Amino acid sequence: MNKKEREAWMLQRIEEWRAEKEAEKQAILAGAKEKRAALARERAELMAKDNAEQEIRRDLLQKTCDLFHKFEKQKLDFHNKKQMQAEWQQYLRCDGLPDPRVVTQMNTYLHLWQLNPKCDDNELEKRCIEALPMLEMLEEFVANSRQYTPLQAQSYNEVRLALREQLSNAIELASYTLLRDLENHLKFDSIKLATYQREFKGLRLNLWVAVRMPTRKPKPVEPDPEPVELSFPSMRVGVKLPKIIDGSCICVRAARSMLDLLSESSRSYALAADMPNRYEDLFIFNVKEHVDIDKLKKVQDEIRSKFYKEIREKIKELENFLKANPYTKNEKEKDDLDNLNMAEPPFLPDPRTFISEQNELAFTKYLKMCMTRTRSGEINLRKYRICGGVLHLDLLTTPPQPKRMRGSITLTTLQLPKSLQPMNYQVQYRAPSPPPVGVTRTPEEIEMEMKKVEAEYEKLALVSIDLPQELIWSEPPVVCQWQEARKLWTSNYVNDYKFNEDKLTVQFRTGVLWPIGIATLRYSNMPYQGWDVKPDPDSKGVIISVTGVSVTVTWLCLGNSVRLKWIANATTPALKEHFNKPYSVKRMLQIMREAACDFFPDFDAHNHIEGSCPKEWVLERHNYHAMAFLSRAYNFQWSRWNAAAGNRTVVMQIREAVDKKRESKFELLYVTPQRATILKCNEMSQEYSAEPMMGLPFYPDLFTLNMSYGSVDARRATFNMKYRLVETVFDMLQELKLSSYS
């Protein structure tokens, strides 16, 4: 090949290369246009599918929600009718006591109580017998506040708080009245010692008084004073006072109130904010979300249209420029034109994904809003709960005693205010922290520090408490004391704490004798290790079994009540007296919380439980209602895939349980706010897949899925459900929140 042929060949190759590059460019441009068209078609198809599914929801889901609302209203009407009957029975009883359901009667009762200036131990016993049942009823009214108007609920709560305060004042006043006249009210074990012991309803009261004797001439060398050691067997409490307290003229009051009258005034007691859209139904939720998605899609379409309009204008401008200058290279303009042809609009998220992420972010903000900042040593009552009542160990000054004169005249020094006066004793001590890592100390230094600590401990009171068997102790409790000025529980004055797990005793030293509380972790049994909901074969009820970290609890929902059937692996015989007794759901919740067996998380519990999996509450609540309807036809169980399924997905196992002789296999139920379906995979699968079973049509929720997918017997059992049982199971599932904590 000569030079001319080589140059021709080279020019040909260059032209071929340019043609290939142009073809590639055109293919890329065509691909980009096809991709845009495909994405546009995909968005249009997805929106058309959403619109079609929304029309099905308008038919089926709305009817389902209407049925759910109907059952809820029937339950409220039943409670209102029952309350009216109870009011009438109280009226016929005519026992002189107010009806807690009638706020005006309670206000009159409290006003007359406040007008009574005297309160001895007999009056206190009468008030305890009267007030505690009223408080129990008012607690349940406040817990079931939804069945009352906001004004009624507020009035019940105000009356409840006033009654608690009045009962607390009565305990203080009765103690003062007893100490005001030792000779008539206390038992003298010797000329120097007087004691008092009495048990009231919900209260045990003990007084120990060392009577002041005439002052003797001091000895040249006074012996070391002996520390005062006291024991209160009725309360299973012992206390050893430090030597710095003069034991010859002191008064100690020990009172155990089974009702905690202090914690509710703490700033960390109440839930900071109620759950938004707490009672919103799933149909309204989907309608709102569909409208928001449609609006967002229109905004995104406008952004894309504006972007492509600007691109077309720039392309037209460049094309006109290139046509006007055909004899110049215009490489930059051509590259710009190619870039414009392949330009894509800014990334715009899928509208439904964006809305769901915003909902999840809103719930995260809600949890953050519910968090309570606590001071050093302060007990956060959202995380802990004072159980077993409150123990008052008070070091008091004995009030002036009456003196009998001639002619049956009695003189008494008037002391104001007429209330208990605490003895001045407050020692704050913190044991030194251990030395830093790598620092070694000599035996002499260690011995010197131990002696110094022991000398400081001698200034503190030593308290020992036998923990009550009425509570379930799954973890070492926290001992705390009430700081009245700040209205909080604190552990700053508690030192040398010891817990004996075998004997269930605690021992500690303290520099103040303030009210003592035993705090336990509220959610020590969570997250759940498993749960099971199934029909009871021996009755027309539903069995709910939940396995926590330490214990397994089984309830039976029957009609309008729930019964505690069994507690496995409990450390004490707690709650056995409540087995098989019918209670309302709210009352069962109170009983189990008081026994330190809390399986009923509040909405902010995610802040205090590791390993929880919060779900969209509207979805979760609706699904619990559907489960309650199907609870006599199906067996539901937890699934290991649920925790990682995401905020808007609930995964659980399901199988029909109508035919007791032939059990079907468990399948995986997949529920989101938009649909419910059965998955191809199961609990034993190696990997999780959200692919639905072949041939299943669209179902808006679990209830409508059963109407087509379930057997004839399962559908019949569902429609034969009575509203009392449905709402009882529904209330239990709402309180347990199984999907969010397993």
Side-chain angles (χ1 to χ4, degrees):
M1 186 181 294
N2 57 29
K3 182 178 180 182
K4 188 175 181 181
E5 290 175 342
R6 282 199 301 272
E7 288 177 354
W9 178 82
M10 184 64 68
L11 289 174
Q12 183 183 356
R13 293 297 298 164
I14 291 172
E15 289 300 324
E16 289 176 355
W17 177 81
R18 285 177 178 170
E20 288 175 3
K21 286 295 181 184
E22 186 65 24
E24 288 178 8
K25 187 188 299 182
Q26 294 301 322
I28 291 172
L29 292 175
K33 292 178 181 178
E34 181 60 31
K35 181 181 176 182
R36 290 174 196 161
L39 289 175
R41 283 196 305 271
E42 185 180 339
R43 288 193 296 270
E45 289 172 1
L46 183 60
M47 199 62 198
K49 181 183 176 184
D50 279 355
N51 290 333
E53 290 177 353
Q54 188 64 17
E55 289 303 315
I56 297 175
R57 291 189 196 101
R58 290 186 188 280
D59 179 25
L60 298 179
L61 186 59
Q62 187 171 14
K63 290 177 181 177
T64 302
C65 291
D66 290 343
L67 177 62
F68 289 0
H69 290 318
K70 176 186 173 184
F71 270 47
E72 286 186 84
K73 186 177 184 305
Q74 285 180 322
K75 181 72 176 288
L76 291 177
D77 292 343
F78 170 77
H79 276 299
N80 292 335
K81 184 179 178 181
K82 190 176 178 181
Q83 182 163 324
M84 290 177 65
Q85 291 174 348
E87 286 182 27
W88 178 244
Q89 292 298 323
Q90 175 67 24
Y91 177 77
L92 294 177
R93 199 173 294 124
C94 198
D95 54 4
L97 292 177
D99 188 345
R101 305 168 192 84
V102 184
V103 175
T104 53
Q105 292 185 21
M106 288 300 300
N107 285 331
T108 303
Y109 175 80
L110 287 167
H111 180 67
L112 294 175
W113 190 351
Q114 291 166 358
L115 292 179
N116 185 6
K118 297 181 180 179
C119 181
D120 58 11
D121 51 349
N122 294 325
E123 178 72 11
L124 177 60
E125 182 176 29
K126 174 192 169 188
R127 295 299 184 183
C128 287
I129 293 172
E130 293 176 355
L132 289 179
M134 296 181 195
L135 272 175
E136 186 177 310
M137 290 181 66
L138 289 168
E139 294 278 359
E140 195 160 349
F141 294 164
V142 172
N144 290 298
S145 59
R146 196 185 175 202
Q147 68 188 68
Y148 307 107
T149 64
L151 181 59
Q152 282 179 310
Q154 181 183 351
S155 300
Y156 280 137
N157 193 44
E158 289 173 355
V159 167
R160 182 182 64 88
L161 295 176
L163 186 59
R164 289 168 64 94
E165 183 180 0
Q166 196 63 28
L167 184 59
S168 177
N169 294 338
I171 296 172
E172 297 297 302
L173 185 55
S175 301
Y176 175 77
T177 303
L178 291 170
L179 292 174
R180 197 73 175 82
D181 190 353
L182 301 179
E183 186 176 349
N184 290 326
H185 293 138
L186 271 67
K187 175 186 175 184
F188 278 80
D189 299 333
S190 67
I191 193 172
K192 296 182 180 180
L193 181 63
T195 59
Y196 175 89
Q197 177 179 334
R198 185 167 179 179
E199 186 169 341
F200 305 87
K201 183 179 177 66
L203 173 71
R204 295 188 182 99
L205 179 61
N206 282 247
L207 297 171
W208 187 94
V209 181
V211 181
R212 183 183 292 275
M213 303 302 291
T215 307
R216 61 173 175 78
K217 185 177 180 180
K219 295 179 181 179
V221 179
E222 289 286 346
D224 288 339
E226 289 294 325
V228 177
E229 293 191 38
L230 304 176
S231 177
F232 304 101
S234 64
M235 288 179 277
R236 293 172 288 187
V237 173
V239 58
K240 180 180 179 181
L241 300 177
K243 294 180 181 180
I244 60 176
I245 295 177
D246 184 5
S248 63
C249 56
I250 62 169
C251 171
V252 177
R253 180 184 70 159
R256 183 187 286 278
S257 170
M258 303 313 295
L259 186 66
D260 180 6
L261 298 171
L262 301 175
S263 296
E264 198 161 347
S265 58
S266 174
R267 64 190 179 90
S268 66
Y269 180 83
L271 184 64
D274 200 7
M275 181 72 172
N277 60 24
R278 181 174 181 178
Y279 300 111
E280 185 175 8
D281 68 52
L282 187 61
F283 174 69
I284 299 298
F285 175 85
N286 270 297
V287 168
K288 289 181 178 178
E289 196 167 87
H290 189 75
V291 170
D292 291 340
I293 289 171
D294 190 52
K295 287 181 180 178
L296 182 57
K297 183 180 180 301
K298 288 180 179 177
V299 170
Q300 291 182 348
D301 288 344
E302 289 177 2
I303 292 173
R304 292 189 185 95
S305 299
K306 183 179 178 182
F307 174 82
Y308 287 127
K309 182 180 178 182
E310 292 174 354
I311 291 295
R312 285 194 299 271
E313 290 175 354
K314 290 179 181 178
I315 289 174
K316 188 175 181 181
E317 184 179 339
L318 281 174
E319 286 177 344
N320 292 336
F321 176 81
L322 292 173
K323 287 178 182 178
N325 300 275
Y327 301 109
T328 57
K329 289 188 176 181
N330 300 321
E331 296 293 339
K332 181 178 180 303
E333 287 73 10
K334 290 179 180 178
D335 290 341
D336 290 343
L337 182 62
D338 294 340
N339 291 334
L340 287 174
N341 281 320
M342 292 186 291
E344 294 290 339
F347 172 75
L348 297 173
D350 173 61
R352 187 174 293 284
T353 304
F354 178 79
I355 296 295
S356 64
E357 288 174 352
Q358 291 299 111
N359 289 346
E360 189 171 358
L361 183 61
F363 184 69
T364 303
K365 289 181 179 178
Y366 167 76
L367 290 180
K368 190 174 181 180
M369 183 172 58
C370 289
M371 293 183 70
T372 304
R373 290 186 177 180
T374 54
R375 300 180 176 90
S376 175
E378 180 183 354
I379 303 299
N380 185 352
L381 294 179
R382 299 306 306 163
K383 185 177 182 180
Y384 291 89
R385 181 182 178 88
I386 304 299
C387 293
V390 176
L391 173 64
H392 292 260
L393 275 180
D394 303 308
L395 201 59
L396 305 172
T397 302
T398 306
Q401 298 299 303
K403 296 180 172 61
R404 291 192 298 271
M405 311 295 289
R406 292 180 181 178
S408 301
I409 296 175
T410 302
L411 293 181
T412 306
T413 303
L414 180 63
Q415 183 187 56
L416 295 176
K418 295 182 180 181
S419 60
L420 298 173
Q421 299 299 316
M423 183 179 287
N424 187 18
Y425 168 66
Q426 183 170 340
V427 178
Q428 186 164 14
Y429 172 70
R430 275 290 181 190
S433 57
V437 179
V439 176
T440 58
R441 295 180 299 172
T442 64
E444 292 79 9
E445 290 175 336
I446 296 174
E447 185 179 356
M448 187 180 298
E449 184 175 321
M450 288 178 64
K451 288 182 178 179
K452 191 182 297 183
V453 171
E454 288 175 3
E456 293 294 333
Y457 278 166
E458 289 296 321
K459 301 176 185 177
L460 306 178
L462 178 64
V463 180
S464 58
I465 302 173
D466 291 346
L467 297 176
Q469 296 289 314
E470 295 81 18
L471 279 71
I472 295 178
W473 305 101
S474 55
E475 290 191 2
V478 177
V479 175
C480 52
Q481 295 172 292
W482 180 253
Q483 276 188 337
E484 179 62 31
R486 292 184 174 182
K487 300 291 184 184
L488 56 84
W489 290 100
T490 178
S491 60
N492 284 337
Y493 290 89
V494 176
N495 288 276
D496 194 24
Y497 171 76
K498 297 173 183 176
F499 170 64
N500 189 318
E501 188 176 1
D502 297 328
K503 297 181 179 179
L504 287 179
T505 60
V506 293
Q507 180 180 294
F508 61 95
R509 297 179 186 270
T510 177
V512 291
L513 289 179
W514 290 341
I516 298 170
I518 306 296
T520 60
L521 274 172
R522 291 186 63 179
Y523 307 120
S524 59
N525 269 297
M526 303 179 76
Y528 303 131
Q529 308 301 299
W531 55 265
D532 186 80
V533 179
K534 62 184 178 182
D536 180 24
D538 302 322
S539 69
K540 294 184 178 180
V542 175
I543 291 177
I544 301 176
S545 181
V546 182
T547 301
V549 174
S550 304
V551 299
T552 298
V553 185
T554 302
W555 296 273
L556 171 64
C557 297
L558 189 61
N560 197 42
S561 64
V562 59
R563 301 161 193 254
L564 185 60
K565 296 294 291 181
W566 183 248
I567 298 180
N569 305 322
T571 55
T572 63
L575 295 171
K576 281 193 175 180
E577 68 273 18
H578 298 289
F579 283 5
N580 295 314
K581 292 184 179 178
Y583 295 104
S584 69
V585 172
K586 294 295 184 182
R587 182 61 187 142
M588 176 61 70
L589 182 149
Q590 293 169 358
I591 289 171
M592 296 201 66
R593 282 181 172 173
E594 289 166 2
C597 187
D598 195 345
F599 277 75
F600 308 99
D602 279 331
F603 289 107
D604 67 335
H606 298 285
N607 289 331
H608 312 295
I609 299 174
E610 292 185 7
S612 66
C613 47
K615 305 296 182 181
E616 177 63 59
W617 174 244
V618 178
L619 155 69
E620 192 175 355
R621 182 174 182 270
H622 181 91
N623 199 52
Y624 291 148
H625 219 157
M627 289 170 66
F629 266 93
L630 309 183
S631 57
R632 285 290 299 167
Y634 286 89
N635 179 193
F636 299 96
Q637 276 190 11
W638 74 288
S639 170
R640 64 191 176 112
W641 307 113
N642 178 67
N647 173 261
R648 291 169 68 89
T649 304
V650 172
V651 181
M652 66 179 73
Q653 298 183 76
I654 183 175
R655 69 177 174 186
E656 281 196 15
V658 181
D659 189 351
K660 300 177 179 61
K661 297 180 181 179
R662 185 180 59 190
E663 284 189 348
S664 56
K665 292 182 179 180
F666 276 111
E667 297 175 303
L668 278 188
L669 174 67
Y670 177 92
V671 185
T672 70
Q674 285 75 43
R675 61 180 50 81
T677 190
I678 303 296
L679 298 183
K680 266 187 175 181
C681 64
N682 56 42
E683 191 69 8
M684 300 297 119
S685 299
Q686 294 296 322
E687 293 183 356
Y688 171 74
S689 170
E691 185 179 354
M693 190 177 288
M694 292 290 292
L696 281 182
F698 170 75
Y699 299 109
D701 70 333
L702 170 60
F703 186 84
T704 52
L705 183 146
N706 169 65
M707 293 301 99
S708 297
Y709 184 73
S711 67
V712 175
D713 291 336
R715 295 199 296 270
R716 185 184 298 114
T718 301
F719 281 108
N720 287 337
M721 290 288 286
K722 305 298 182 184
Y723 73 89
R724 295 185 190 180
L725 178 59
V726 169
E727 295 305 306
T728 301
V729 176
F730 175 46
D731 289 344
M732 275 296 290
L733 295 178
Q734 280 190 102
E735 297 296 345
L736 290 167
K737 301 179 179 65
L738 301 174
S739 299
S740 287
Y741 296 94
S742 62

